[in-house]
Every structure is written in structure tokens, then in C-alpha cells.
Amino acid sequence: MQGTISNPGPRKSLPKILYTRLLLYFPEFIWAVVGAVWVSDNSVQCEKTVINGVIGTVIASWIIIVFTVIGVVIVFDPLGGKKTFYLDGVSRNLESSQSGQLLYNVKSSATRVWEKRIRLLCCCIVQDDDHRVAFTSIAELFRSYFSDTDLVPSDIAAGLILLHQEQDKMENCPKEPEEVLCHSPSSLVTDDLDVELENAAHYMLFAAAAYGWPYYVYTNPYTALCKLNGDCCRNSPTDSDVTGSDRHNFHFGSILKITGLQYRDFIHISFHNKIYEIPFFVALDHKKEAIVVAVRGTLSFEDILTDLSADCEDLTLEEVLENGFVHKGITQAANYIYRKLINDGILNQAFTIAPEYRLVIVGHSLGGGTASILAIMLRNSFPTLRCYAFSPPGGLLSKSLADYTKHFIVSVIVGKDLVARLSMPNMEDLKRRIVRIVANCNRPKYQILLRGCWYEVFGGDPDDFPTELDGRNQDALTQPLLAEESLMVHRSPSYNALEEEPHLNSPPQYPHLYLPGKIIHIVEECSSRRLCSSDIKYTARWSNETVFSSILISPKMITDHMPDVVLKALNSLSQEHGSCLSCQTRGYNPSAV
């Protein structure tokens, strides 16, 4: 409550108080142990009310102690002031022979800290060599991203609140940013969009079905378990059809319910899930005359590790492109499915049954990104292939690959979906914006958080917080202010974009990666900032990758990514298009001509 985020002077004595409080946890721990022993002693004769009170107190004490220990282990930075000292020393004395070694030691220590945190969070899963490699890669990523800032989680929360309110103040009308780029579409483009929306609504069922029983129970919370218990035992696939574990056939039963297909329509189902190896199924879609490969999105710790393995690697395709960059973790997942489809003869089996059908690959989120890269790998062998990627990750393909995929991939994005805007350059930009707006706000952090929570829940007008940015001309804003530099351990790579004359010869820290294929952006006609909104109407338009070059802060940035929201939006647009066609048909009366 004292000072501001960038002015810790009024609360300079607080660290001593915190360390003193930390020492008091030792007698509290002993007291909790004594209380637990006393409670477990059946010979103690006391009133039941007293015993219940003591039991409640002991349980509360242990909960507080456990959460405190977990918080300290995860949040506490063991490097502390050493990181600042080393990096400042390196920046002041670049000619010193010890500078490189000091910087290497700091980076190695920071990487080990992040690796220990990740191992702790993933302690429940079996860890092999692939996991250890992924942990190191992800730790390097987090270390490089957070190494140049001195922000705590509450600072980041305050920054997101301020950015959201600033963003809402800039939106004078409920239009999406890309509308200034959109012109009146021709009838040909409109017809093409309507066809793709109808196809997307159909194939989104397959992408959602790949999630299995969690999605089915989530969308049918009251009846799902009863239906699955009654039907799954009657539709039990043989071992040759399925790989991986599916207890009680809940996954397979849910896929049948969601897609409306019969058991005989499925060629292969895989529930096998490890890091870089995600579930998928292959089925015959007689309605669209297609062989559908549906890839599951993120649903486990292994999937999260695959998502976070965000390094770039080359994807060289013969007779197509060279030196295309792709997301490393998702590419390895696509390679796994590619080997299964080709080496195990799954696609050959499918085309033997239905040789006239065409291949369609679909997926949502991580599944959408995997489906896109898998489609690139299979494009030469299946020229008529189509791919529908629903809410794929933004940092997926280099520019050359993204342009190449516009011929056979369609990406569908809803609203302000966060995942579709996630890439390392966008995250660097978000960090820069958070540092700037947080460091230069003149209000205490508790006021920002309290008023921000009220605004997010109940709405109203955005708060006009005073800031040191007010009244400064644009030229003065090209360099970080003193308050910002107080939150930066050293000069951030994110400020390179702010320099008037960036170094042209220095390569970017993170290559720019883009969404795959042509992009359909679905937005609400009357966008509401609140989570709860009834009778939502959607509009869809063709968009481009530049629209998703910045992360938008909104309560809907997460919900717009959910598969049920995507399916709802697509069904709404598909039904609206169908009703318009029926109205036009009824309105045309040949006898009146």
C-alpha cells in the first residue's frame, strides 16, 4: 500500500519484516506438530467443541505451511542480487576476461532454477530422456524471457489490468482492429467464405471429439456419464483398432456420441499420450466423402510440455520449400503421427476402403498446429488434401511456409483468442508494454488491483490512472523512462523495436512465426467485455496474420479459445447462412413474374 510499483522507497523496511516473519514459521511448524500429536491422542478428555476447534486449527496451520513452502520454492529467486550484480558488471566492463564466465554462470544458474521449478510442477508424471530434454529447453526459454525484468506476479497482474483498460479506452466503437483493412467483399469471396464456414462447422465436431470424454462431460454435465455407462460396453472396439488406454471405453463412446459416426467408420484410434506424442483418430466421413484425421489438443502435462517446447527448427521439404522454420515441439508431434499414418499403413488401409474419398486433417489448439504441419508433410502425396486448424498457436510457421499453406489450410480464430496470438515476439511485446505501463503508473498497486477486479467483474468506465507518460511527445516515448529501467535488470531485447535506428545486422532474438493458411476471424457483432452474455451474434471475415501480431487483453482471451465456444460460433454462422438461403428460396415466386 506504500509507494508505487517502480518506487519501493516507502516500503524499504518490508524485506526485513518478511524475513522475520519467515523465521516465525519454525516455531509455528513445531506448534503444528505438537497439535497434530495432541489431536491424535485418544486419551485426551476434553469437550467435543474444543477438540473440533483444535482439529480445525491444526488443519489450517498445516495448509498454510504447505502452501507457504510451495510458494517459496516456486517464486523465490535464489539468484537474488547476484544476477543484477553480474549483469551490471558485465555491461560496465565488457572487456574484462571474467565477464563472459560471470555471464555464463548466471545464465546456467538461472536455467537450473527454472528446470527445478518445472520438474517440481511435473513431479506427478513419469520422466524419461525426452522429458529431461524438454525441461532443459523450456527452462532456457523461461530464463531468456524473464532474465531482463524485475517483476513479481502481482506486478504482471496489475500490468494486464492497466493494459486492458487502456485498450478499452482506445476502442471507441465495438469493432475489431482489422475492420479498417476489410472492404466490401465480392459475392465470389462471400460465397467462398460461406462454404468454408459450413465445412469448418462440420469438421469442428471431429476436432472436438478428439478430446474424448472430458469434452463430452464438459458440454453435457448432467447426462454424459449416464449415457456413456449405458452405451460404451456395447461398442467396444477390438485391440487392433485402438492403441493406448481407454478404460471403460469412455473416450471411444464419447467420440461416437459427438461425431454421430458408427463403429465401422473408424479406421484407427490412438489414445497413446507422451511428450511429443498426442492422441488422434482416423475415420470415414461419408457425409463429406472424406477420410478425416482428427488430432487432439492440449489435455495433459505432456501436451503442455509439447506446447512449451517453442524453439524453432528447420523443416525442409523436397520440391516445395527450403529453410522453413516451425515450432519444434509441435513439429515432433506431427512427425510422430506422420510415421504412424505412413509406416503403419493406416492411410493405405483407409484409401483401400474408400479410394474416391479425399484426405482432411483437423485439430483444435495444439491439435490444430499439429494438423497444419502434418498437412504440409502429406501435401505432396495427397494433392487434394485439406486442413482445418481451429484456434492454432500463433507462433507456428515462418512466413514462407505460412504463405505456402494458404492453398490448402484454413485457420479459424474466434474473437480475442490468446493462443492464436501466442508467439515469442508477441510475448516480448507484451512484456515491454507491461513494463512501460506499470512502471509509469503513479497509483499504489493495491488500488490498481482492487479497481481492476471491480472493472473486470462489474464493468463501468476504465479508470484514468495518472501516469508519467501523460504529456510526453512521441519522440520522447521511443526510449524507456527511468522508472522502466528500474524494473529492468539489463537492457531488454524487447526495447530493440523502440530504437530509432535498430542494428540491421543483428538477428532477432526470436524469429517471427505465423498462423497457418488462410484465416477466418469470427467476432461478436455486439462485443461485450463481460464473460456472461446472452444471444450472441457472430460475424466472420477473411483476415490476415498481421491482425494477430499483438496480444489483446480481455476476459474472453481464454474463453474464446475453448472448443465449445468455437463450435458454437461456427454453428451459429452456419445456421444463419442456412436460414438466409431458405428465406431467399421462399421469397422467389415464379408465378408473380
Side-chain angles (χ1 to χ4, degrees):
M1 298 176 68
Q2 301 295 322
T4 62
I5 295 176
S6 59
N7 179 26
R11 53 181 186 272
K12 61 182 179 181
S13 61
L14 190 59
K16 297 178 182 178
I17 299 176
L18 285 176
Y19 282 116
T20 303
R21 178 66 184 88
L22 190 62
L23 292 175
L24 294 177
Y25 275 108
F26 290 102
E28 287 187 12
F29 175 76
I30 296 174
W31 193 246
V33 172
V34 172
V37 173
W38 184 85
V39 168
S40 61
D41 188 0
N42 296 327
S43 63
V44 176
Q45 299 296 328
C46 291
E47 294 182 6
K48 188 175 182 180
T49 305
V50 175
I51 295 178
N52 291 337
V54 173
I55 291 175
T57 305
V58 170
I59 294 175
S61 299
W62 279 109
I63 292 175
I64 294 173
I65 290 173
V66 168
F67 276 96
T68 301
V69 171
I70 294 175
V72 169
V73 170
I74 293 177
V75 177
F76 181 73
D77 187 359
L79 299 177
K82 295 181 181 179
K83 179 169 61 177
T84 306
F85 172 78
Y86 284 153
L87 293 175
D88 286 347
V90 170
S91 62
R92 288 194 301 266
N93 187 16
L94 293 176
E95 300 300 326
S96 171
S97 60
Q98 297 180 350
S99 300
Q101 185 63 36
L102 290 176
L103 184 59
Y104 174 79
N105 291 338
V106 171
K107 289 182 177 180
S108 299
S109 300
T111 301
R112 286 195 298 270
V113 169
W114 279 108
E115 192 168 350
K116 289 178 181 178
R117 291 171 177 171
I118 296 170
R119 289 181 184 276
L120 179 63
L121 292 174
C122 300
C123 61
C124 298
I125 63 177
V126 179
Q127 299 178 10
D128 54 19
D129 291 337
D130 288 337
H131 287 85
R132 284 187 282 273
V133 172
F135 290 159
T136 303
S137 175
I138 296 169
E140 286 280 355
L141 185 70
F142 279 116
R143 189 269 305 164
S144 62
Y145 184 74
F146 290 106
S147 62
D148 58 352
T149 58
D150 186 23
L151 295 175
V152 296
S154 58
D155 293 339
I156 297 174
L160 293 176
I161 287 173
L162 291 174
L163 285 177
H164 181 210
Q165 296 186 37
E166 181 186 55
Q167 177 183 300
D168 285 349
K169 284 189 289 186
M170 294 176 62
E171 293 179 353
N172 296 324
C173 55
K175 293 183 179 181
E176 291 297 317
E178 75 272 21
E179 280 196 81
V180 297
L181 303 175
C182 298
H183 305 282
S184 299
S186 64
S187 59
L188 180 62
V189 174
T190 304
D191 292 341
D192 184 34
L193 177 61
D194 291 335
V195 171
E196 294 293 3
L197 284 172
E198 193 273 332
N199 289 333
H202 175 77
Y203 288 119
M204 181 59 202
L205 281 174
F206 290 83
Y211 285 99
W213 69 261
Y215 176 83
Y216 187 63
V217 172
Y218 175 74
T219 54
N220 301 274
Y222 302 110
T223 60
L225 291 178
C226 295
K227 292 180 178 179
L228 291 176
N229 276 323
D231 295 343
C232 287
C233 294
R234 294 197 296 268
N235 296 307
S236 181
T238 61
D239 293 338
S240 60
D241 299 319
V242 177
T243 58
S245 175
D246 182 22
R247 292 184 179 180
H248 309 294
N249 298 313
F250 274 9
H251 279 305
F252 181 68
S254 299
I255 293 173
L256 290 174
K257 292 286 186 181
I258 297 170
T259 60
L261 300 179
Q262 302 296 320
Y263 164 68
R264 61 178 178 271
D265 297 326
F266 289 87
I267 306 298
H268 181 82
I269 308 173
S270 173
F271 300 113
H272 172 75
N273 191 199
K274 288 178 60 180
I275 185 171
Y276 308 136
E277 299 177 4
I278 56 180
F280 69 97
F281 68 83
V282 181
L284 300 177
D285 178 19
H286 302 294
K287 181 178 179 180
K288 294 288 185 178
E289 295 187 346
I291 296 171
V292 180
V293 179
V295 187
R296 198 190 75 180
T298 303
L299 199 64
S300 67
F301 272 116
E302 287 83 358
D303 298 336
I304 294 174
L305 293 176
T306 302
D307 286 318
L308 292 177
S309 299
D311 293 336
C312 294
E313 69 176 21
D314 292 329
L315 180 65
T316 303
L317 301 175
E318 296 180 359
E319 299 179 359
V320 180
L321 287 171
E322 291 185 358
N323 300 324
F325 292 107
V326 288
H327 184 291
K328 177 182 177 181
I330 296 178
T331 301
Q332 293 193 30
N335 273 321
Y336 161 74
I337 298 178
Y338 178 86
R339 292 193 299 269
K340 297 286 289 185
L341 294 178
I342 301 301
N343 297 345
D344 294 359
I346 297 174
L347 287 183
N348 286 337
Q349 179 185 353
F351 280 103
T352 300
I353 299 174
E356 71 281 5
Y357 284 13
R358 72 171 181 174
L359 181 62
V360 177
I361 308 176
V362 302
H364 172 266
S365 188
L366 169 62
T370 306
S372 300
I373 297 178
L374 179 62
I376 296 174
M377 296 175 175
L378 293 171
R379 170 70 169 172
N380 282 344
S381 301
F382 303 93
T384 61
L385 172 149
R386 296 288 291 174
C387 175
Y388 291 90
F390 303 96
S391 307
L396 189 65
L397 305 175
S398 61
K399 180 62 175 175
S400 57
L401 277 175
D403 291 339
Y404 167 69
T405 59
K406 293 183 185 297
H407 301 291
F408 56 95
I409 297 180
V410 175
S411 292
V412 180
I413 312 297
V414 175
K416 299 178 179 179
D417 184 355
L418 169 66
V419 174
R421 295 171 169 85
L422 274 184
S423 66
M424 289 311 300
N426 286 0
M427 290 297 294
E428 280 288 332
D429 174 69
L430 177 64
K431 179 175 65 176
R432 177 184 61 82
R433 289 189 289 151
I434 289 177
V435 169
R436 167 149 293 190
I437 199 167
V438 161
N440 298 289
C441 182
N442 294 337
R443 291 291 180 89
K445 183 161 53 178
Y446 83 96
Q447 290 187 13
I448 301 174
L449 294 175
L450 289 177
R451 295 186 184 185
C453 290
W454 179 274
Y455 177 75
E456 299 297 341
V457 176
F458 299 105
D461 295 327
D463 286 324
D464 190 13
F465 286 108
T467 171
E468 294 179 15
L469 298 176
D470 296 338
R472 293 171 60 89
N473 56 40
Q474 189 62 33
D475 292 337
L477 292 177
T478 58
Q479 296 296 331
L481 305 180
L482 179 62
E484 294 174 61
E485 293 191 350
S486 69
L487 294 180
M488 307 301 293
V489 175
H490 64 87
R491 179 65 177 231
S492 171
S494 63
Y495 282 114
N496 291 339
L498 295 177
E499 296 179 1
E500 294 180 359
E501 296 181 358
H503 301 289
L504 298 178
N505 295 328
S506 60
Q509 184 180 12
Y510 305 109
H512 284 276
L513 299 181
Y514 301 90
L515 288 165
K518 296 192 297 183
I519 303 171
I520 298 177
H521 194 190
I522 301 174
V523 297
E524 297 178 17
E525 284 186 348
C526 298
S527 180
S528 172
R529 291 194 301 266
R530 307 283 71 82
L531 288 171
C532 299
S533 179
S534 58
D535 194 23
I536 300 176
K537 293 185 178 180
Y538 298 93
T539 58
R541 62 178 67 90
W542 291 112
S543 187
N544 59 71
E545 59 271 8
T546 59
V547 173
F548 305 93
S549 60
S550 180
I551 295 175
L552 302 180
I553 309 302
S554 170
K556 294 186 176 182
M557 62 195 297
I558 301 297
T559 57
D560 283 345
H561 180 71
M562 302 303 289
D564 59 311
V565 174
V566 178
L567 183 58
K568 176 185 176 182
L570 288 169
N571 285 336
S572 175
L573 290 168
S574 181
Q575 292 171 4
E576 182 179 347
H577 176 63
S579 62
C580 290
L581 290 178
S582 61
C583 290
Q584 293 174 3
T585 303
R586 289 196 300 268
Y588 176 70
N589 186 1
S591 61
V593 176

